[in-house]
Amino acid sequence: MGIETLANEPIMLNNKEMKRVGRAVTSLLTVAAEENRITCGLRPAIQMLEMDPSQILFCVMPQTRDSAKHIQSVLLQAFCYEHNIAIIKVDSMERLREIVGAADCSCILIHKNINHILCLELELDRILHSVETGFVTQPVFKLPAK
């Protein structure tokens, strides 16, 4: 886990920063769901990415122990990396269901808003892209309880 410094040297995210990112992800998911800017589920996400990946801002992926879903999610992540879509790994599919109100939260795509970009989206994008380039293992962010 890390953020790049100006010299592009990764630094570690501490517990407080990890919690801050978890809260930011929760807030962004809430806003995006209210604005109907999300696609939920692996199959719908794959279909959306095939049509127009340039419209996707983030891909939120919960940890999974299901090997079939894991294989699909690895392929989906590779596609996201190829199209410069930041991936946000989170700790709980159940918490994702609570936040967005969808039954299938095996993957959530957050679409770009053509009218505006939230400061929250810009900050998350900066942090996540520095994490992806600075480390082999991507951090898993804990989504805070209600």
Side-chain angles (χ1 to χ4, degrees), residues 28-74:
L28 179 57
L29 283 166
T30 301
V31 169
E34 288 171 357
E35 295 176 349
N36 293 318
R37 294 192 295 130
I38 61 172
T39 298
C40 297
L42 277 171
R43 289 193 196 287
I46 290 167
Q47 291 170 342
M48 176 61 68
L49 287 168
E50 285 177 339
M51 288 189 319
D52 191 2
S54 68
Q55 295 305 309
I56 305 304
L57 188 60
F58 297 111
C59 177
V60 181
M61 310 269 322
Q63 286 182 311
T64 181
R65 301 207 192 304
D66 180 329
S67 59
K69 283 189 179 179
H70 176 72
I71 291 168
Q72 289 176 325
S73 70
V74 168

mmCIF file of all heavy atoms in Angstrom, residues 28-74:
data_model
loop_
_atom_site.group_PDB
_atom_site.id
_atom_site.type_symbol
_atom_site.label_atom_id
_atom_site.label_comp_id
_atom_site.label_asym_id
_atom_site.label_seq_id
_atom_site.Cartn_x
_atom_site.Cartn_y
_atom_site.Cartn_z
ATOM 1 N N LEU A 28 -18.423 8.041 -2.081
ATOM 2 C CA LEU A 28 -18.524 8.047 -3.537
ATOM 3 C C LEU A 28 -19.553 7.032 -4.030
ATOM 4 O O LEU A 28 -20.345 7.335 -4.923
ATOM 5 C CB LEU A 28 -17.161 7.771 -4.172
ATOM 6 C CG LEU A 28 -17.140 7.731 -5.698
ATOM 7 C CD1 LEU A 28 -17.670 9.034 -6.298
ATOM 8 C CD2 LEU A 28 -15.746 7.446 -6.198
ATOM 9 N N LEU A 29 -19.561 5.845 -3.451
ATOM 10 C CA LEU A 29 -20.547 4.833 -3.839
ATOM 11 C C LEU A 29 -21.965 5.323 -3.568
ATOM 12 O O LEU A 29 -22.872 5.125 -4.384
ATOM 13 C CB LEU A 29 -20.298 3.518 -3.093
ATOM 14 C CG LEU A 29 -19.153 2.664 -3.604
ATOM 15 C CD1 LEU A 29 -18.792 1.587 -2.596
ATOM 16 C CD2 LEU A 29 -19.494 2.044 -4.950
ATOM 17 N N THR A 30 -22.163 5.979 -2.429
ATOM 18 C CA THR A 30 -23.480 6.500 -2.072
ATOM 19 C C THR A 30 -23.936 7.543 -3.084
ATOM 20 O O THR A 30 -25.056 7.481 -3.596
ATOM 21 C CB THR A 30 -23.449 7.106 -0.653
ATOM 22 O OG1 THR A 30 -23.039 6.093 0.272
ATOM 23 C CG2 THR A 30 -24.810 7.640 -0.242
ATOM 24 N N VAL A 31 -23.074 8.501 -3.404
ATOM 25 C CA VAL A 31 -23.408 9.559 -4.363
ATOM 26 C C VAL A 31 -23.646 8.976 -5.751
ATOM 27 O O VAL A 31 -24.641 9.302 -6.407
ATOM 28 C CB VAL A 31 -22.284 10.625 -4.409
ATOM 29 C CG1 VAL A 31 -22.476 11.580 -5.575
ATOM 30 C CG2 VAL A 31 -22.218 11.381 -3.098
ATOM 31 N N ALA A 32 -22.765 8.101 -6.194
ATOM 32 C CA ALA A 32 -22.900 7.513 -7.532
ATOM 33 C C ALA A 32 -24.181 6.692 -7.650
ATOM 34 O O ALA A 32 -24.851 6.725 -8.688
ATOM 35 C CB ALA A 32 -21.674 6.661 -7.858
ATOM 36 N N ALA A 33 -24.538 5.967 -6.595
ATOM 37 C CA ALA A 33 -25.784 5.181 -6.617
ATOM 38 C C ALA A 33 -26.994 6.118 -6.694
ATOM 39 O O ALA A 33 -27.936 5.861 -7.458
ATOM 40 C CB ALA A 33 -25.869 4.280 -5.396
ATOM 41 N N GLU A 34 -26.968 7.211 -5.924
ATOM 42 C CA GLU A 34 -28.075 8.177 -5.954
ATOM 43 C C GLU A 34 -28.209 8.824 -7.330
ATOM 44 O O GLU A 34 -29.309 9.159 -7.758
ATOM 45 C CB GLU A 34 -27.859 9.257 -4.892
ATOM 46 C CG GLU A 34 -28.066 8.755 -3.480
ATOM 47 C CD GLU A 34 -27.650 9.771 -2.417
ATOM 48 O OE1 GLU A 34 -27.142 10.874 -2.766
ATOM 49 O OE2 GLU A 34 -27.808 9.445 -1.223
ATOM 50 N N GLU A 35 -27.087 9.006 -8.025
ATOM 51 C CA GLU A 35 -27.091 9.623 -9.350
ATOM 52 C C GLU A 35 -27.241 8.600 -10.477
ATOM 53 O O GLU A 35 -27.111 8.948 -11.656
ATOM 54 C CB GLU A 35 -25.792 10.419 -9.558
ATOM 55 C CG GLU A 35 -25.655 11.602 -8.624
ATOM 56 C CD GLU A 35 -24.324 12.325 -8.778
ATOM 57 O OE1 GLU A 35 -23.411 11.794 -9.471
ATOM 58 O OE2 GLU A 35 -24.188 13.415 -8.202
ATOM 59 N N ASN A 36 -27.499 7.329 -10.123
ATOM 60 C CA ASN A 36 -27.631 6.255 -11.113
ATOM 61 C C ASN A 36 -26.405 6.155 -12.015
ATOM 62 O O ASN A 36 -26.511 5.997 -13.232
ATOM 63 C CB ASN A 36 -28.899 6.424 -11.955
ATOM 64 C CG ASN A 36 -30.140 6.234 -11.134
ATOM 65 O OD1 ASN A 36 -30.215 5.337 -10.298
ATOM 66 N ND2 ASN A 36 -31.115 7.098 -11.335
ATOM 67 N N ARG A 37 -25.219 6.235 -11.401
ATOM 68 C CA ARG A 37 -23.950 6.149 -12.139
ATOM 69 C C ARG A 37 -23.196 4.875 -11.790
ATOM 70 O O ARG A 37 -21.976 4.862 -11.771
ATOM 71 C CB ARG A 37 -23.047 7.348 -11.813
ATOM 72 C CG ARG A 37 -23.530 8.658 -12.265
ATOM 73 C CD ARG A 37 -22.454 9.742 -12.174
ATOM 74 N NE ARG A 37 -22.035 10.018 -10.809
ATOM 75 C CZ ARG A 37 -20.759 10.066 -10.412
ATOM 76 N NH1 ARG A 37 -19.782 9.849 -11.260
ATOM 77 N NH2 ARG A 37 -20.456 10.356 -9.164
ATOM 78 N N ILE A 38 -23.905 3.799 -11.512
ATOM 79 C CA ILE A 38 -23.231 2.538 -11.191
ATOM 80 C C ILE A 38 -23.795 1.400 -12.024
ATOM 81 O O ILE A 38 -24.937 1.427 -12.451
ATOM 82 C CB ILE A 38 -23.329 2.181 -9.682
ATOM 83 C CG1 ILE A 38 -24.779 2.020 -9.235
ATOM 84 C CG2 ILE A 38 -22.610 3.217 -8.830
ATOM 85 C CD1 ILE A 38 -24.929 1.473 -7.818
ATOM 86 N N THR A 39 -22.940 0.410 -12.248
ATOM 87 C CA THR A 39 -23.337 -0.860 -12.841
ATOM 88 C C THR A 39 -22.888 -1.927 -11.861
ATOM 89 O O THR A 39 -21.720 -1.956 -11.467
ATOM 90 C CB THR A 39 -22.653 -1.081 -14.203
ATOM 91 O OG1 THR A 39 -23.075 -0.043 -15.098
ATOM 92 C CG2 THR A 39 -23.010 -2.440 -14.793
ATOM 93 N N CYS A 40 -23.811 -2.794 -11.449
ATOM 94 C CA CYS A 40 -23.516 -3.815 -10.442
ATOM 95 C C CYS A 40 -23.527 -5.212 -11.050
ATOM 96 O O CYS A 40 -24.397 -5.531 -11.865
ATOM 97 C CB CYS A 40 -24.534 -3.755 -9.301
ATOM 98 S SG CYS A 40 -24.513 -2.207 -8.403
ATOM 99 N N GLY A 41 -22.570 -6.036 -10.628
ATOM 100 C CA GLY A 41 -22.493 -7.427 -11.067
ATOM 101 C C GLY A 41 -21.418 -7.626 -12.118
ATOM 102 O O GLY A 41 -21.156 -6.734 -12.931
ATOM 103 N N LEU A 42 -20.786 -8.813 -12.094
ATOM 104 C CA LEU A 42 -19.704 -9.097 -13.044
ATOM 105 C C LEU A 42 -20.169 -9.072 -14.496
ATOM 106 O O LEU A 42 -19.548 -8.430 -15.343
ATOM 107 C CB LEU A 42 -19.054 -10.449 -12.728
ATOM 108 C CG LEU A 42 -17.996 -10.455 -11.637
ATOM 109 C CD1 LEU A 42 -17.596 -11.880 -11.280
ATOM 110 C CD2 LEU A 42 -16.786 -9.650 -12.055
ATOM 111 N N ARG A 43 -21.247 -9.786 -14.805
ATOM 112 C CA ARG A 43 -21.703 -9.851 -16.203
ATOM 113 C C ARG A 43 -22.119 -8.478 -16.741
ATOM 114 O O ARG A 43 -21.677 -8.087 -17.823
ATOM 115 C CB ARG A 43 -22.831 -10.857 -16.355
ATOM 116 C CG ARG A 43 -22.366 -12.291 -16.218
ATOM 117 C CD ARG A 43 -23.454 -13.264 -16.682
ATOM 118 N NE ARG A 43 -23.227 -14.620 -16.253
ATOM 119 C CZ ARG A 43 -22.306 -15.424 -16.750
ATOM 120 N NH1 ARG A 43 -21.514 -15.003 -17.697
ATOM 121 N NH2 ARG A 43 -22.173 -16.660 -16.309
ATOM 122 N N PRO A 44 -22.971 -7.724 -16.003
ATOM 123 C CA PRO A 44 -23.310 -6.384 -16.494
ATOM 124 C C PRO A 44 -22.079 -5.475 -16.625
ATOM 125 O O PRO A 44 -21.990 -4.673 -17.553
ATOM 126 C CB PRO A 44 -24.283 -5.838 -15.440
ATOM 127 C CG PRO A 44 -24.858 -7.054 -14.786
ATOM 128 C CD PRO A 44 -23.764 -8.080 -14.819
ATOM 129 N N ALA A 45 -21.125 -5.623 -15.700
ATOM 130 C CA ALA A 45 -19.909 -4.810 -15.756
ATOM 131 C C ALA A 45 -19.103 -5.135 -17.008
ATOM 132 O O ALA A 45 -18.624 -4.233 -17.709
ATOM 133 C CB ALA A 45 -19.063 -5.037 -14.505
ATOM 134 N N ILE A 46 -18.967 -6.413 -17.303
ATOM 135 C CA ILE A 46 -18.229 -6.832 -18.502
ATOM 136 C C ILE A 46 -18.912 -6.288 -19.758
ATOM 137 O O ILE A 46 -18.254 -5.778 -20.661
ATOM 138 C CB ILE A 46 -18.085 -8.367 -18.548
ATOM 139 C CG1 ILE A 46 -17.123 -8.821 -17.439
ATOM 140 C CG2 ILE A 46 -17.609 -8.843 -19.921
ATOM 141 C CD1 ILE A 46 -17.126 -10.315 -17.164
ATOM 142 N N GLN A 47 -20.245 -6.378 -19.807
ATOM 143 C CA GLN A 47 -20.989 -5.859 -20.958
ATOM 144 C C GLN A 47 -20.793 -4.347 -21.109
ATOM 145 O O GLN A 47 -20.587 -3.844 -22.209
ATOM 146 C CB GLN A 47 -22.470 -6.192 -20.831
ATOM 147 C CG GLN A 47 -22.757 -7.669 -20.989
ATOM 148 C CD GLN A 47 -24.198 -8.029 -20.627
ATOM 149 O OE1 GLN A 47 -24.898 -7.269 -19.964
ATOM 150 N NE2 GLN A 47 -24.623 -9.210 -21.060
ATOM 151 N N MET A 48 -20.829 -3.633 -19.985
ATOM 152 C CA MET A 48 -20.651 -2.180 -20.017
ATOM 153 C C MET A 48 -19.245 -1.822 -20.501
ATOM 154 O O MET A 48 -19.066 -0.922 -21.323
ATOM 155 C CB MET A 48 -20.899 -1.596 -18.624
ATOM 156 C CG MET A 48 -20.636 -0.105 -18.522
ATOM 157 S SD MET A 48 -21.661 0.922 -19.603
ATOM 158 C CE MET A 48 -23.254 0.698 -18.851
ATOM 159 N N LEU A 49 -18.253 -2.546 -20.006
ATOM 160 C CA LEU A 49 -16.866 -2.274 -20.402
ATOM 161 C C LEU A 49 -16.630 -2.578 -21.877
ATOM 162 O O LEU A 49 -15.854 -1.890 -22.541
ATOM 163 C CB LEU A 49 -15.898 -3.060 -19.526
ATOM 164 C CG LEU A 49 -15.763 -2.542 -18.090
ATOM 165 C CD1 LEU A 49 -15.018 -3.543 -17.231
ATOM 166 C CD2 LEU A 49 -15.095 -1.180 -18.059
ATOM 167 N N GLU A 50 -17.306 -3.606 -22.406
ATOM 168 C CA GLU A 50 -17.177 -3.923 -23.830
ATOM 169 C C GLU A 50 -17.739 -2.793 -24.693
ATOM 170 O O GLU A 50 -17.210 -2.495 -25.753
ATOM 171 C CB GLU A 50 -17.907 -5.228 -24.164
ATOM 172 C CG GLU A 50 -17.185 -6.461 -23.708
ATOM 173 C CD GLU A 50 -17.972 -7.738 -23.999
ATOM 174 O OE1 GLU A 50 -19.210 -7.680 -24.192
ATOM 175 O OE2 GLU A 50 -17.339 -8.802 -24.043
ATOM 176 N N MET A 51 -18.833 -2.168 -24.219
ATOM 177 C CA MET A 51 -19.477 -1.108 -25.001
ATOM 178 C C MET A 51 -18.659 0.186 -25.003
ATOM 179 O O MET A 51 -18.410 0.743 -26.068
ATOM 180 C CB MET A 51 -20.883 -0.823 -24.461
ATOM 181 C CG MET A 51 -21.874 -1.918 -24.757
ATOM 182 S SD MET A 51 -23.587 -1.508 -24.353
ATOM 183 C CE MET A 51 -23.514 -0.642 -22.822
ATOM 184 N N ASP A 52 -18.249 0.669 -23.819
ATOM 185 C CA ASP A 52 -17.551 1.952 -23.761
ATOM 186 C C ASP A 52 -16.771 2.090 -22.452
ATOM 187 O O ASP A 52 -17.253 2.699 -21.501
ATOM 188 C CB ASP A 52 -18.545 3.098 -23.911
ATOM 189 C CG ASP A 52 -17.848 4.431 -24.136
ATOM 190 O OD1 ASP A 52 -16.603 4.463 -24.218
ATOM 191 O OD2 ASP A 52 -18.560 5.445 -24.232
ATOM 192 N N PRO A 53 -15.555 1.565 -22.403
ATOM 193 C CA PRO A 53 -14.766 1.656 -21.171
ATOM 194 C C PRO A 53 -14.376 3.087 -20.812
ATOM 195 O O PRO A 53 -14.077 3.368 -19.653
ATOM 196 C CB PRO A 53 -13.534 0.796 -21.467
ATOM 197 C CG PRO A 53 -13.455 0.705 -22.936
ATOM 198 C CD PRO A 53 -14.857 0.833 -23.453
ATOM 199 N N SER A 54 -14.413 3.997 -21.753
ATOM 200 C CA SER A 54 -14.017 5.381 -21.468
ATOM 201 C C SER A 54 -15.002 6.089 -20.538
ATOM 202 O O SER A 54 -14.682 7.142 -19.991
ATOM 203 C CB SER A 54 -13.880 6.173 -22.772
ATOM 204 O OG SER A 54 -15.142 6.354 -23.373
ATOM 205 N N GLN A 55 -16.182 5.513 -20.352
ATOM 206 C CA GLN A 55 -17.192 6.119 -19.476
ATOM 207 C C GLN A 55 -17.076 5.667 -18.029
ATOM 208 O O GLN A 55 -17.855 6.102 -17.177
ATOM 209 C CB GLN A 55 -18.599 5.810 -20.004
ATOM 210 C CG GLN A 55 -18.879 6.443 -21.342
ATOM 211 C CD GLN A 55 -18.648 7.955 -21.317
ATOM 212 O OE1 GLN A 55 -19.145 8.662 -20.454
ATOM 213 N NE2 GLN A 55 -17.853 8.434 -22.259
ATOM 214 N N ILE A 56 -16.110 4.795 -17.731
ATOM 215 C CA ILE A 56 -15.983 4.232 -16.390
ATOM 216 C C ILE A 56 -14.840 4.923 -15.644
ATOM 217 O O ILE A 56 -13.736 5.056 -16.168
ATOM 218 C CB ILE A 56 -15.746 2.710 -16.446
ATOM 219 C CG1 ILE A 56 -16.863 2.026 -17.254
ATOM 220 C CG2 ILE A 56 -15.639 2.124 -15.044
ATOM 221 C CD1 ILE A 56 -18.275 2.301 -16.761
ATOM 222 N N LEU A 57 -15.140 5.331 -14.414
ATOM 223 C CA LEU A 57 -14.166 6.023 -13.583
ATOM 224 C C LEU A 57 -13.440 5.053 -12.651
ATOM 225 O O LEU A 57 -12.218 5.065 -12.566
ATOM 226 C CB LEU A 57 -14.891 7.096 -12.765
ATOM 227 C CG LEU A 57 -14.062 8.058 -11.966
ATOM 228 C CD1 LEU A 57 -13.133 8.852 -12.868
ATOM 229 C CD2 LEU A 57 -14.982 9.004 -11.196
ATOM 230 N N PHE A 58 -14.196 4.200 -11.959
ATOM 231 C CA PHE A 58 -13.635 3.248 -11.002
ATOM 232 C C PHE A 58 -14.324 1.897 -11.132
ATOM 233 O O PHE A 58 -15.480 1.821 -11.526
ATOM 234 C CB PHE A 58 -13.834 3.714 -9.554
ATOM 235 C CG PHE A 58 -13.149 4.989 -9.209
ATOM 236 C CD1 PHE A 58 -13.870 6.138 -8.959
ATOM 237 C CD2 PHE A 58 -11.765 5.046 -9.107
ATOM 238 C CE1 PHE A 58 -13.245 7.325 -8.625
ATOM 239 C CE2 PHE A 58 -11.123 6.228 -8.774
ATOM 240 C CZ PHE A 58 -11.866 7.378 -8.533
ATOM 241 N N CYS A 59 -13.592 0.870 -10.734
ATOM 242 C CA CYS A 59 -14.133 -0.485 -10.632
ATOM 243 C C CYS A 59 -13.938 -0.922 -9.181
ATOM 244 O O CYS A 59 -12.804 -0.985 -8.699
ATOM 245 C CB CYS A 59 -13.398 -1.420 -11.579
ATOM 246 S SG CYS A 59 -13.938 -3.136 -11.461
ATOM 247 N N VAL A 60 -15.025 -1.182 -8.476
ATOM 248 C CA VAL A 60 -14.967 -1.586 -7.069
ATOM 249 C C VAL A 60 -15.145 -3.099 -7.008
ATOM 250 O O VAL A 60 -16.127 -3.636 -7.518
ATOM 251 C CB VAL A 60 -16.053 -0.876 -6.229
ATOM 252 C CG1 VAL A 60 -15.967 -1.288 -4.770
ATOM 253 C CG2 VAL A 60 -15.950 0.638 -6.386
ATOM 254 N N MET A 61 -14.179 -3.769 -6.376
ATOM 255 C CA MET A 61 -14.187 -5.230 -6.312
ATOM 256 C C MET A 61 -14.053 -5.687 -4.853
ATOM 257 O O MET A 61 -13.070 -5.340 -4.204
ATOM 258 C CB MET A 61 -13.010 -5.810 -7.106
ATOM 259 C CG MET A 61 -12.842 -5.302 -8.497
ATOM 260 S SD MET A 61 -13.659 -6.195 -9.808
ATOM 261 C CE MET A 61 -13.528 -7.860 -9.424
ATOM 262 N N PRO A 62 -15.015 -6.466 -4.360
ATOM 263 C CA PRO A 62 -14.861 -7.020 -3.014
ATOM 264 C C PRO A 62 -13.960 -8.251 -3.042
ATOM 265 O O PRO A 62 -13.799 -8.898 -4.081
ATOM 266 C CB PRO A 62 -16.286 -7.397 -2.630
ATOM 267 C CG PRO A 62 -16.933 -7.735 -3.928
ATOM 268 C CD PRO A 62 -16.298 -6.812 -4.951
ATOM 269 N N GLN A 63 -13.379 -8.554 -1.897
ATOM 270 C CA GLN A 63 -12.617 -9.798 -1.786
ATOM 271 C C GLN A 63 -13.593 -10.951 -1.956
ATOM 272 O O GLN A 63 -14.745 -10.882 -1.516
ATOM 273 C CB GLN A 63 -11.956 -9.912 -0.416
ATOM 274 C CG GLN A 63 -10.774 -9.006 -0.231
ATOM 275 C CD GLN A 63 -10.142 -9.198 1.128
ATOM 276 O OE1 GLN A 63 -10.820 -9.201 2.145
ATOM 277 N NE2 GLN A 63 -8.837 -9.351 1.148
ATOM 278 N N THR A 64 -13.129 -12.045 -2.574
ATOM 279 C CA THR A 64 -13.993 -13.204 -2.751
ATOM 280 C C THR A 64 -13.203 -14.486 -2.531
ATOM 281 O O THR A 64 -12.001 -14.535 -2.794
ATOM 282 C CB THR A 64 -14.649 -13.224 -4.151
ATOM 283 O OG1 THR A 64 -15.495 -14.360 -4.248
ATOM 284 C CG2 THR A 64 -13.623 -13.270 -5.263
ATOM 285 N N ARG A 65 -13.901 -15.493 -2.055
ATOM 286 C CA ARG A 65 -13.279 -16.801 -1.866
ATOM 287 C C ARG A 65 -13.789 -17.798 -2.907
ATOM 288 O O ARG A 65 -13.353 -18.920 -2.968
ATOM 289 C CB ARG A 65 -13.578 -17.332 -0.465
ATOM 290 C CG ARG A 65 -13.066 -16.399 0.622
ATOM 291 C CD ARG A 65 -12.759 -17.128 1.882
ATOM 292 N NE ARG A 65 -12.526 -16.354 3.068
ATOM 293 C CZ ARG A 65 -11.637 -15.406 3.234
ATOM 294 N NH1 ARG A 65 -10.895 -15.040 2.247
ATOM 295 N NH2 ARG A 65 -11.488 -14.786 4.381
ATOM 296 N N ASP A 66 -14.723 -17.346 -3.748
ATOM 297 C CA ASP A 66 -15.288 -18.167 -4.810
ATOM 298 C C ASP A 66 -14.302 -18.189 -5.976
ATOM 299 O O ASP A 66 -14.026 -17.162 -6.597
ATOM 300 C CB ASP A 66 -16.630 -17.558 -5.228
ATOM 301 C CG ASP A 66 -17.321 -18.322 -6.333
ATOM 302 O OD1 ASP A 66 -16.630 -18.925 -7.192
ATOM 303 O OD2 ASP A 66 -18.554 -18.322 -6.360
ATOM 304 N N SER A 67 -13.752 -19.375 -6.292
ATOM 305 C CA SER A 67 -12.693 -19.461 -7.302
ATOM 306 C C SER A 67 -13.184 -19.071 -8.697
ATOM 307 O O SER A 67 -12.444 -18.457 -9.467
ATOM 308 C CB SER A 67 -12.065 -20.853 -7.319
ATOM 309 O OG SER A 67 -13.036 -21.825 -7.601
ATOM 310 N N ALA A 68 -14.417 -19.395 -9.051
ATOM 311 C CA ALA A 68 -14.935 -19.031 -10.377
ATOM 312 C C ALA A 68 -15.051 -17.514 -10.495
ATOM 313 O O ALA A 68 -14.652 -16.929 -11.507
ATOM 314 C CB ALA A 68 -16.284 -19.689 -10.621
ATOM 315 N N LYS A 69 -15.590 -16.866 -9.473
ATOM 316 C CA LYS A 69 -15.697 -15.402 -9.496
ATOM 317 C C LYS A 69 -14.323 -14.757 -9.440
ATOM 318 O O LYS A 69 -14.105 -13.702 -10.021
ATOM 319 C CB LYS A 69 -16.576 -14.906 -8.347
ATOM 320 C CG LYS A 69 -18.043 -15.111 -8.616
ATOM 321 C CD LYS A 69 -18.900 -14.446 -7.593
ATOM 322 C CE LYS A 69 -20.362 -14.696 -7.961
ATOM 323 N NZ LYS A 69 -21.291 -14.135 -7.043
ATOM 324 N N HIS A 70 -13.400 -15.395 -8.741
ATOM 325 C CA HIS A 70 -12.043 -14.852 -8.653
ATOM 326 C C HIS A 70 -11.396 -14.810 -10.039
ATOM 327 O O HIS A 70 -10.780 -13.810 -10.414
ATOM 328 C CB HIS A 70 -11.191 -15.670 -7.687
ATOM 329 C CG HIS A 70 -9.763 -15.219 -7.630
ATOM 330 N ND1 HIS A 70 -9.390 -14.040 -7.026
ATOM 331 C CD2 HIS A 70 -8.630 -15.758 -8.154
ATOM 332 C CE1 HIS A 70 -8.084 -13.892 -7.162
ATOM 333 N NE2 HIS A 70 -7.603 -14.915 -7.836
ATOM 334 N N ILE A 71 -11.550 -15.872 -10.800
ATOM 335 C CA ILE A 71 -10.976 -15.924 -12.151
ATOM 336 C C ILE A 71 -11.601 -14.832 -13.022
ATOM 337 O O ILE A 71 -10.892 -14.107 -13.724
ATOM 338 C CB ILE A 71 -11.171 -17.319 -12.782
ATOM 339 C CG1 ILE A 71 -10.297 -18.341 -12.043
ATOM 340 C CG2 ILE A 71 -10.845 -17.303 -14.271
ATOM 341 C CD1 ILE A 71 -10.602 -19.780 -12.384
ATOM 342 N N GLN A 72 -12.926 -14.699 -12.974
ATOM 343 C CA GLN A 72 -13.598 -13.654 -13.743
ATOM 344 C C GLN A 72 -13.128 -12.269 -13.301
ATOM 345 O O GLN A 72 -12.892 -11.394 -14.127
ATOM 346 C CB GLN A 72 -15.108 -13.751 -13.587
ATOM 347 C CG GLN A 72 -15.717 -14.943 -14.287
ATOM 348 C CD GLN A 72 -17.211 -15.047 -14.025
ATOM 349 O OE1 GLN A 72 -17.681 -14.727 -12.938
ATOM 350 N NE2 GLN A 72 -17.940 -15.490 -15.035
ATOM 351 N N SER A 73 -12.978 -12.072 -11.990
ATOM 352 C CA SER A 73 -12.578 -10.760 -11.496
ATOM 353 C C SER A 73 -11.144 -10.422 -11.890
ATOM 354 O O SER A 73 -10.826 -9.261 -12.171
ATOM 355 C CB SER A 73 -12.782 -10.647 -9.983
ATOM 356 O OG SER A 73 -11.870 -11.449 -9.285
ATOM 357 N N VAL A 74 -10.268 -11.423 -11.950
ATOM 358 C CA VAL A 74 -8.886 -11.180 -12.386
ATOM 359 C C VAL A 74 -8.875 -10.722 -13.849
ATOM 360 O O VAL A 74 -8.155 -9.783 -14.204
ATOM 361 C CB VAL A 74 -8.004 -12.433 -12.182
ATOM 362 C CG1 VAL A 74 -6.677 -12.307 -12.894
ATOM 363 C CG2 VAL A 74 -7.791 -12.693 -10.696
#
